[in-house]
Amino acid sequence: LPLSASDPLRNGGQGVRSAPVSPCEAPKLAHMGREGEVPPGTPDELAVGLVEWLRRGEGPADSAVGSLDPSRRAELLADLLGQLMRAAPTPIGIAIDDAEGVDGASLALLARVIAEPMGVRGLLLTTSGPAWSPSWPTASVLRLSDLGPDDLQVLLTAALGDGEIDVEASRALGEAACGNPLALAELVWSYRATGQLPKPRAGGVAGTILALAQARIDAVDEAAKRVLQVGAVMGPMFRVSIVGQVLGEQVLGEGTDVAGAVARLRRRDLLVGSGDQVCFTQAAIRNIAYEGMLLAERRHLHATIGRALEAAGIDDPHLLAHHYGLGSDDAAAVAALWRAAESALAAGDASSALDRLREAVRRLGDRDELAGVHRATLLGRTADIVAIGGDLDQAAATFAKAVATVESGLRRADLRRRQALLEHRRGDDEAALDLLLCARDDVTLAELDAVEPVEAVFTALTSLTATTARIHLDRGWIEGAIGETRQGLELLSHLSLAAGQIAPARQSLAETNLVLAEALLRTGDLDGAAVHADAARVAYGELHDLAGGLRADLAMARVRAASGNRPEARARLEAVLALARRLGDREGVAAAEGALSACLVT
C-alpha cells in the first residue's frame, strides 16, 4: 500500500488509525430482495457478479447485480464482506489510504461492518490528515513522523544497491530528503538520471519534491505529456482506452499513439500498471500534471471525459457527477448531479445527496431549468432530505423557495402537498389543510386547462387524499382516514398499466397503502394492515425510497408484534432502527426505539 502519510504536500501531521473489524449483521446473499423474493442468480453468482461489478466499475443493467438498486448492492457488499471475513482462515486486513477522500457511502458501509460484532478478527487501517476522524471507535492512532537516518539508508540501499552509491552521496541524498520517503524517491530518480547530487531549494522538502517531479514531467515528449495531463484529470488511476477516446476528440496533429506514450511514461516511472488500467506512481506527480493546466482547459477536459465515459457505457452516476461537476457544461453537470444525489440517497448517504443537490442549484445560476431538471425539483428534494434530518424550519424555508419558482400546475401542487405534510409534522394542522386546499386548486386548474394527462391528475388527487388521510388519522379520525385511502386506491385502480408504473403513481400508491395499513392496525384488522403495509413496502422499494420503506417496515413490525410474533417484530425493528440511524432520520429513530421498547416489555 503506497501510504502517503509523510507527503509534505498534504500539509504534514498525518497519521494512521486502526480499528478492529467484524462484519455487520446483514441479510444473507440469498435473501436480498423483498420478503419472499430472491434476486436473480444463486448466492455464488451474486457474489461473483458483485466482484466483477466492483472490478470493472460497470456491468450489464440486466445482470443479477446490475438489476439491484444501489441500496441493495450496498447491503450485498456488506454481507459479502462479512461472509469473506467469517470464512477466512486468518484475520483479514483492510487498508485505506487518504481516508478523508473516500465517499460517504463507502465509509457508511465500513461503519456498518465494524458496528456489529460477530466474533470475527480483522483490522481496518486508514491514513489521513489530522482533521479527519472516523465515525467508528479506533483501537489505536499512530502519528507518522519523519524517517530517521537509518531508515533512509535502508531505502537508499534498496533503491540503488550497496555498490552504486558512495558515503558522501548517500549522506547528501539523506539530508536533502529531510526524512521524507517521497522526497527521497524523487532525489534517487534524479541522481540516477543525471549523476548530480541535490542542491538546496527554496520551499524546503516540499519545494524539492515539486521541482524534481516537475523536471521529470517536463522531460517527456508532448504526446506523452498530453496523455499524462488527461490521465491526471481522470484521477489517480485511469484507463488508457478512455484517454484514447478523449484525445480522439482533441486535435493533436496527426493523432497520438496513446499506448506508446503510456509505455514511455512507465519507463520514466511516472505511471505504473499494465493493460488498460494504470495509475500515477506518486500523488505529487498527478497533482503537478493537473495543476499545470489552465482552469479553463481542466474544465473542458472534465466535460470531455464525462462524455467519453458515457460513450464507453460507464454509467456510474457519482463518477459522471464528479467530472461534469468540475466541467464546463452546466446542463450536463445539473443532470449528473441530480442523478448522483438520487443514487446517494438510495444508498442511505443523505449528506452526499444534499451536497450534490446544492451544487446542482449553484450550477443552475439564474436559470429555472436545465437538461430537464427544474429548480423546484432540486429545492423540493433538498427540503425533503433536510426534513428527514429533523430541521423542519429550514425545510419549510426551502419548500417556500421551491413553490415560489413555479406559477401553477401539478408540480406546484405536489410541492404544496409535501409542505402540508411538513406543517403537520410541525404541529400546525390548520396551515397544512390550507396548503392542501391550495394544492387541490392547482390540480383543478391543470385539469381545466387540459395541460396534463388525465391519469396524472388522478395520481395527484390520490396523493392529496392520502395526505389528508394522514392528518385525519393522526388526529384520531380513523374511519375517515380509512374511507379516504380506499377512495384513493379506487382512483389509482383506473390508471393504465403504463401510467401506474411511473414514479408519481408508485409514490401515491405507497403513501396511500401505508396510511391505510396504519389505520387498519388501529382497528385491529391485522391481516388487512399486513397486506397494505407490504404493498407500501414493495412500492417504496421500487422507488428506492429508504425513508418511506423504513416507515412501511415499522408498520409491518407493529403488525407482527400485535399478532404475537415478537421475535420477528424485534428483528424488523432492529433493522429499521439501524437504517434510521444511517439516514439520520430522527423521527424514524425515535419511532423505532419506542416500538422496540414496547415490544421488549411485552
Side-chain angles (χ1 to χ4, degrees):
L1 179 69
L3 299 178
S4 59
S6 55
D7 185 345
L9 298 180
R10 299 188 59 79
N11 200 28
Q14 290 186 313
V16 177
R17 295 178 172 87
S18 61
V21 174
S22 54
C24 67
E25 186 177 351
K28 297 302 180 187
L29 294 179
H31 302 284
M32 288 300 301
R34 298 183 294 270
E35 186 176 27
E37 175 188 340
V38 177
T42 67
D44 284 348
E45 289 171 343
L46 286 173
V48 172
L50 178 61
V51 172
E52 283 297 305
W53 184 280
L54 294 172
R55 188 175 67 83
R56 296 181 180 181
E58 57 183 302
D62 58 352
S63 67
V65 174
S67 60
L68 297 175
D69 63 70
S71 63
R72 288 183 182 170
R73 272 202 297 272
E75 291 175 6
L76 180 61
L77 177 57
D79 184 56
L80 176 60
L81 182 58
Q83 291 200 34
L84 288 173
M85 296 182 75
R86 285 193 292 273
T90 58
I92 286 181
I94 302 173
I96 301 177
D97 191 22
D98 297 338
E100 62 266 50
V102 177
D103 63 281
S106 296
L107 291 176
L109 185 144
L110 284 171
R112 289 168 56 193
V113 171
I114 293 172
E116 300 290 343
M118 295 282 288
V120 176
R121 294 176 300 152
L123 182 71
L124 172 62
L125 179 70
T126 64
T127 68
S128 68
W132 182 82
S133 60
S135 58
W136 50 80
T138 56
S140 63
V141 178
L142 173 65
R143 291 197 173 276
L144 300 184
S145 58
D146 294 338
L147 296 180
D150 293 341
D151 296 320
L152 289 176
Q153 288 304 314
V154 171
L155 291 179
L156 276 172
T157 301
L160 298 175
D162 291 322
E164 194 172 337
I165 183 171
D166 58 34
V167 175
E168 181 183 353
S170 176
R171 180 187 56 76
L173 290 170
E175 289 179 354
C178 297
N180 188 298
L182 176 58
L184 184 64
E186 291 298 325
L187 289 164
V188 167
W189 177 268
S190 176
Y191 178 71
R192 295 185 70 173
T194 65
Q196 300 294 317
L197 290 174
K199 298 178 180 179
R201 298 178 184 273
V205 67
T208 298
I209 295 173
L210 287 170
L212 294 174
Q214 184 68 65
R216 279 211 282 154
I217 293 173
D218 290 342
V220 303
D221 57 88
E222 286 302 314
K225 186 180 295 184
R226 191 60 175 159
V227 168
L228 201 67
Q229 290 174 329
V230 175
V233 175
M234 290 185 67
M237 181 179 293
F238 60 90
R239 296 186 183 186
V240 177
S241 57
I242 300 296
V243 171
Q245 291 183 41
V246 172
L247 291 177
E249 297 187 26
Q250 312 281 321
V251 180
L252 294 177
E254 298 180 355
T256 300
D257 177 8
V258 176
V262 168
R264 295 193 296 277
L265 291 168
R266 285 197 191 101
R267 287 196 296 270
R268 295 196 63 82
D269 200 34
L270 294 167
L271 296 178
V272 67
S274 58
D276 194 42
Q277 195 101 328
V278 297
C279 62
F280 288 88
T281 53
Q282 298 290 352
I285 294 170
R286 185 218 169 193
N287 292 339
I288 292 168
Y290 187 82
E291 297 295 340
M293 291 178 282
L294 295 175
L295 176 61
E297 185 179 16
R298 291 202 303 263
R299 295 190 69 205
H300 175 72
L301 274 177
H302 275 296
T304 305
I305 288 168
R307 292 192 294 271
L309 291 171
E310 289 186 295
I314 299 175
D315 190 28
D316 182 336
H318 301 286
L319 182 61
L320 294 174
H322 167 73
H323 286 297
Y324 281 130
L326 293 173
S328 54
D329 187 339
D330 286 338
V334 169
L337 288 164
W338 165 249
R339 286 189 60 216
E342 289 297 301
S343 177
L345 191 59
D349 189 353
S351 176
S352 293
L354 275 178
D355 289 342
R356 299 293 195 189
L357 289 169
R358 286 164 175 161
E359 176 61 15
V361 171
R362 189 189 70 79
R363 292 300 292 267
L364 269 177
D366 296 331
R367 296 158 292 203
D368 281 336
E369 187 171 13
L370 275 178
V373 182
H374 198 280
R375 180 185 299 276
T377 302
L378 296 171
L379 290 174
R381 197 58 162 154
T382 301
D384 289 336
I385 301 173
V386 170
I388 289 173
D391 191 346
L392 303 187
D393 292 340
Q394 181 61 42
T398 306
F399 266 130
K401 292 179 182 178
V403 171
T405 65
V406 189
E407 294 184 358
S408 61
L410 298 186
R411 178 181 278 129
R412 188 168 74 170
D414 187 59
L415 287 169
R416 282 176 162 169
R417 180 189 68 81
R418 285 145 66 192
Q419 262 189 306
L421 276 174
L422 184 66
E423 291 302 326
H424 172 57
R425 290 175 60 188
R426 296 173 80 193
D428 192 345
D429 285 348
E430 294 305 316
L433 293 172
D434 286 344
L435 284 166
L436 288 175
L437 286 174
C438 292
R440 192 171 293 274
D441 289 343
D442 285 329
V443 175
T444 302
L445 289 174
E447 183 179 16
L448 292 174
D449 293 340
V451 296
E452 299 283 358
V454 173
E455 292 175 316
V457 173
F458 275 16
T459 298
L461 287 172
T462 303
S463 293
L464 291 174
T465 301
T467 303
T468 304
R470 163 64 63 194
I471 295 173
H472 288 161
L473 177 63
D474 290 346
R475 297 175 78 174
W477 188 21
I478 299 174
E479 292 303 321
I482 292 174
E484 288 161 340
T485 50
R486 292 198 186 280
Q487 178 187 1
L489 292 177
E490 175 65 21
L491 276 174
L492 289 176
S493 70
H494 294 291
L495 297 180
S496 67
L497 182 61
Q501 296 303 313
I502 63 175
R506 304 307 291 170
Q507 189 75 35
S508 181
L509 181 68
E511 292 168 353
T512 304
N513 272 297
L514 179 57
V515 177
L516 180 54
E518 292 179 2
L520 292 175
L521 179 59
R522 295 192 190 186
T523 67
D525 183 357
L526 301 185
D527 290 339
V531 168
H532 290 287
D534 191 58
R537 189 156 55 90
V538 169
Y540 281 125
E542 292 168 345
L543 292 164
H544 306 161
D545 185 343
L546 295 184
L550 182 154
R551 279 154 179 78
D553 274 325
L554 184 59
M556 183 63 77
R558 285 170 169 159
V559 171
R560 294 290 185 262
S563 63
N565 190 347
R566 286 189 288 274
E568 182 182 342
R570 283 197 297 271
R572 286 179 178 274
L573 288 171
E574 287 168 355
V576 167
L577 181 58
L579 176 58
R581 286 172 173 164
R582 181 155 61 96
L583 284 171
D585 185 342
R586 295 182 183 179
E587 287 188 4
V589 168
E593 287 179 339
L596 189 56
S597 296
C599 187
L600 291 173
V601 168
T602 56

